[in-house]
Amino acid sequence: MTLMTNTEISGKSHEQNDLPSTLFVTDRLGNILISNEFTAITLGIPLEEILRSNVMDLVSAGYYDYSITMEAIRTKKRVTKKINTNRGFSILSTSIPILEPDGEIQLVVTTSNECPIEESKLEAEKIEASIINELDNSISPPDIVAESIAMKQIIKVCDQIAPYDSKILITGESGTGKEVIANYIHQKSNRSNGPFVTLNCAAIPSSLFEYEMFGYEDGVYDSKSKGKIGLIETAHQGILFLDELSEMPLDMQTKLLRVIETNELRRVGGIENIKVDCRFIAATNCDLWKLVKQGKFRQDLFYRINVIPIHIPPLRDRKLDIVGLVSRFIDEFNQKYNKHFSLSADEFQHMLSLSWPGNVRELRNYVERLIVINNLPFKNMNEIVTDWFALDHFINNNQSHFHSLKDFTTITEGRYIEKVLDSCQGNISEAAQKLGIHRSVIYRKLKKMEENLENEH
C-alpha cells in the first residue's frame, strides 16, 4: 500500500469543497512525520512545532478534542470522524492505517477537509470513499517503494512495457535503483521464468570483456582448457541487464551491436554462429548522448538500445519515497540485528532535509548505521549520526587525498575516538573501556591521525 502526496490524497475533496486539506502522516507511535501549512493554520502553531510533536501531545495541549490517528493505530482499522480544533475549525477527518505484511502498523495517513457542521453523513461517506479509492488504486509492488508521483509513473510505465521485448535504457544517478527497476520489468515480463543476468560493464577488465560476454571454446587458453559460455548465452530466453553501459569498450560496443541486430554470437575461438534469444535492458548514470558527441560511445548502439528510455529521479527530488524506504530499512535491519529501533520525529526530519547524493543506497547504509550504533554510549545520538554523515561527505570529496587504505583507516579511527572522548568529557580511561582498547592505543591512534593529516597538508 502506498502513501500519496497531500495533493494526490486531497484532489477529489478539493473538487467537492474547494477547500484545502489538512494532512498528517505518523508512525506507529503517533509521531508526526509529514504535515502541511494548512494543518498548522487550523491549529494556530508553526509547522515546525507540529513536526516535532506526537498527535497525543496536540490533544493534551487542547489543539484537538480527539485523535482519530491514535484510534486507527489502536484498532488497526480506518476511522472517520468530525474533529474540532482550538481555532474553531470543524474538520471531517479520515485516518487510514498502512499495515505491514505481519499485520503491524507501519504508518497512518490522516487527511481531512474543513466542513460545515450541518454536512450530511452521505457527504462524509463520499469523501471517505474517494480517499480509500485513491489508496486502493495506488498499490506498489512488494519489492519496490513507490510513494512519490514520479515512482508511481515509472511503475505504471514498467507494467505497460514489460510484456514486450523492446530494448530499454534506464538512466539515473548512482544508487537510485536502476537494477531494481530492471528486475521488476523481468518479473512482470513473459520472460519471468527465464534468467536475469547482470553484466557490470565497469567491473570487467577490457582484456577479459569479450571472454565474459561471448564465452570461449575449448583450448583457447591452452590445449587442456575447457570452454565456457558467455553472459549473453547465459541470458538465453531471459533478460541481459547491461549495467554501467557507458563503461563498455568501443570494440565491444561494435560486437554487441551485431548481436542485437542478428540475435547471433560467436564464442572466442569458435567458427559457428550461435542463436540467442534474450531481451536487453541497459543502465547508466552518464549522459550517453554527450559521450556519443565526444566519440566515446557508438551512436548506432545508442539508438538501438535507447528504444524505451526510463529516467529515475534522484531521491532528493522524491522525498515521499524516503518515508517508505526508511520504514522498510528499519524493519530489515531490526530483524537482521535483532533490534527494536524506532526512529524519532526529529531524526526523520533531519533525514528529509538531506540531499542524499548516494540516493537509496546511501539512505540504506545510513539507516543501518543508525541501528547498529543505537545502543552505543553516546550522549547525543543525532550528533554522532550527523558526524558519520559528514564523514561520508568528507570521504566523497577528498578521495584524492587518501594515498592508501591505511591512510583512510587512520583518519577514520582517529575521528571516531575523538567523538567517544567527547562523550566521556575527555576521560581517557572511560573512553578506553567503552572502546574495548587500552589507554595507550588511544594515544597512539590519535598521534597517527595527526601525523597523517599534517602530511596531507
Side-chain angles (χ1 to χ4, degrees):
M1 180 91 46
T2 60
L3 286 178
M4 294 174 290
T5 62
N6 185 36
T7 303
E8 290 177 290
I9 292 178
S10 61
K12 292 188 178 180
S13 299
H14 281 209
E15 295 172 6
Q16 293 163 347
N17 290 354
D18 242 1
L19 290 170
S21 171
T22 60
L23 173 72
F24 281 136
V25 177
T26 70
D27 63 16
R28 68 190 68 182
L29 301 177
N31 296 311
I32 299 169
L33 306 177
I34 296 176
S35 189
N36 64 0
E37 289 290 351
F38 184 67
T39 304
I41 291 173
T42 65
L43 303 180
I45 56 177
L47 179 59
E48 291 76 13
E49 184 174 341
I50 292 179
L51 296 174
R52 291 194 296 267
S53 303
N54 184 287
V55 288
M56 287 308 299
D57 296 335
L58 301 179
V59 174
S60 299
Y63 292 107
Y64 284 109
D65 59 355
Y66 183 75
S67 172
I68 64 168
T69 297
M70 297 308 297
E71 183 178 341
I73 292 173
R74 186 174 62 256
T75 63
K76 297 183 180 179
K77 295 180 179 179
R78 181 178 74 251
V79 180
T80 298
K81 287 186 179 179
K82 196 172 290 184
I83 303 299
N84 299 311
T85 79
N86 63 327
R87 302 277 291 190
F89 289 84
S90 181
I91 298 176
L92 181 68
S93 299
T94 296
S95 285
I96 303 170
I98 310 299
L99 303 180
E100 301 281 7
D102 61 3
E104 293 301 311
I105 296 287
Q106 180 189 44
L107 300 164
V108 177
V109 181
T110 301
T111 186
S112 50
N113 283 85
E114 184 191 10
C115 56
I117 296 297
E118 67 274 9
E119 182 175 28
S120 67
K121 181 179 180 181
L122 178 62
E123 185 66 17
E125 291 174 349
K126 285 170 62 180
I127 294 175
E128 177 186 2
S130 70
I131 296 168
I132 300 304
N133 183 60
E134 285 285 351
L135 283 170
D136 288 343
N137 288 327
S138 302
I139 299 175
S140 294
D143 54 347
I144 296 179
V145 172
E147 314 292 3
S148 65
I149 295 176
M151 284 305 296
K152 289 177 186 176
Q153 290 174 335
I154 288 172
I155 296 303
K156 184 177 180 181
V157 169
C158 289
D159 289 339
Q160 292 172 337
I161 65 177
Y164 306 98
D165 275 347
S166 301
K167 283 80 177 173
I168 299 170
L169 178 62
I170 305 174
T171 60
E173 295 179 4
S174 294
T176 49
K178 295 185 286 295
E179 186 168 358
V180 173
I181 292 299
N183 255 303
Y184 176 71
I185 294 171
H186 174 242
Q187 295 167 16
K188 300 289 287 185
S189 73
N190 299 328
R191 297 175 177 267
S192 58
N193 293 327
F196 179 87
V197 179
T198 298
L199 193 164
N200 189 331
C201 300
I204 303 175
S206 298
S207 59
L208 299 178
F209 214 104
E210 187 171 7
Y211 295 94
E212 291 295 320
M213 191 159 69
F214 292 94
Y216 49 87
E217 298 288 358
D218 295 343
V220 168
Y221 290 113
D222 57 56
S223 59
K224 296 181 180 179
S225 64
K226 292 185 177 181
K228 174 186 174 182
I229 67 171
L231 293 176
I232 298 177
E233 274 189 82
T234 304
H236 183 66
Q237 295 186 337
I239 286 178
L240 180 65
F241 177 58
L242 300 163
D243 198 11
E244 304 293 350
L245 180 64
S246 61
E247 301 300 316
M248 180 178 287
L250 278 170
D251 59 332
M252 288 298 102
Q253 293 178 26
T254 303
K255 295 181 179 182
L256 173 63
L257 180 63
R258 178 167 177 77
V259 174
I260 293 175
E261 290 176 339
T262 65
N263 294 317
E264 291 181 344
L265 62 81
R266 185 178 296 179
R267 295 177 188 168
V268 177
I271 58 174
E272 294 182 357
N273 289 335
I274 300 171
K275 286 286 185 181
V276 289
D277 172 27
C278 67
R279 182 178 186 178
F280 293 92
I281 299 179
T284 181
N285 59 7
C286 298
D287 184 343
L288 278 189
W289 183 243
K290 183 177 180 180
L291 295 180
V292 169
K293 291 188 289 185
Q294 294 173 351
K296 297 178 180 179
F297 196 85
R298 290 187 62 95
Q299 181 173 325
D300 45 7
L301 179 58
F302 173 80
Y303 287 127
R304 280 289 186 179
I305 207 73
N306 190 32
V307 177
I308 300 177
I310 296 176
H311 178 70
I312 305 177
L315 196 57
R316 60 183 172 273
D317 292 340
R318 43 188 179 100
K319 295 287 188 180
L320 269 182
D321 288 335
I322 294 176
V323 178
L325 287 166
V326 168
S327 178
R328 174 172 293 186
F329 295 151
I330 287 176
D331 289 341
E332 175 187 344
F333 292 119
N334 272 341
Q335 183 176 0
K336 179 178 180 179
Y337 297 118
N338 194 26
K339 302 275 190 177
H340 301 283
F341 177 81
S342 181
L343 194 67
S344 70
D346 283 344
E347 180 56 42
F348 186 85
Q349 290 304 317
H350 172 65
M351 293 169 76
L352 285 176
S353 70
L354 300 177
S355 61
W356 302 113
N359 294 289
V360 178
R361 186 181 296 119
E362 181 184 4
L363 176 63
R364 186 177 187 275
N365 293 339
Y366 184 91
V367 172
E368 181 177 13
R369 196 155 56 231
L370 270 179
I371 293 174
V372 168
I373 70 174
N374 183 47
N375 292 326
L376 294 181
F378 295 112
K379 285 193 170 184
N380 188 334
M381 282 302 297
N382 284 336
E383 180 183 350
I384 294 296
V385 171
T386 302
D387 287 336
W388 274 105
F389 180 80
L391 179 60
D392 281 344
H393 182 75
F394 172 76
I395 293 168
N396 290 333
N397 288 278
N398 294 274
Q399 289 178 351
S400 61
H401 296 298
F402 297 122
H403 298 300
S404 67
L405 178 62
K406 185 178 179 181
D407 294 338
F408 166 72
T409 304
T410 298
I411 293 175
T412 305
E413 285 183 338
R415 294 298 190 201
Y416 185 71
I417 290 171
E418 285 181 336
K419 290 310 303 178
V420 177
L421 278 170
D422 287 344
S423 73
C424 300
Q425 288 79 49
N427 188 316
I428 297 287
S429 297
E430 184 181 349
Q433 184 178 3
K434 289 179 178 180
L435 289 166
I437 58 177
H438 193 268
R439 289 168 51 99
S440 62
V441 177
I442 291 181
Y443 291 116
R444 187 170 67 251
K445 288 187 177 293
L446 288 177
K447 183 179 179 181
K448 284 185 177 180
M449 179 188 71
E450 292 172 0
E451 291 173 350
N452 189 285
L453 291 173
E454 288 176 2
N455 290 335
E456 294 296 335
H457 294 292

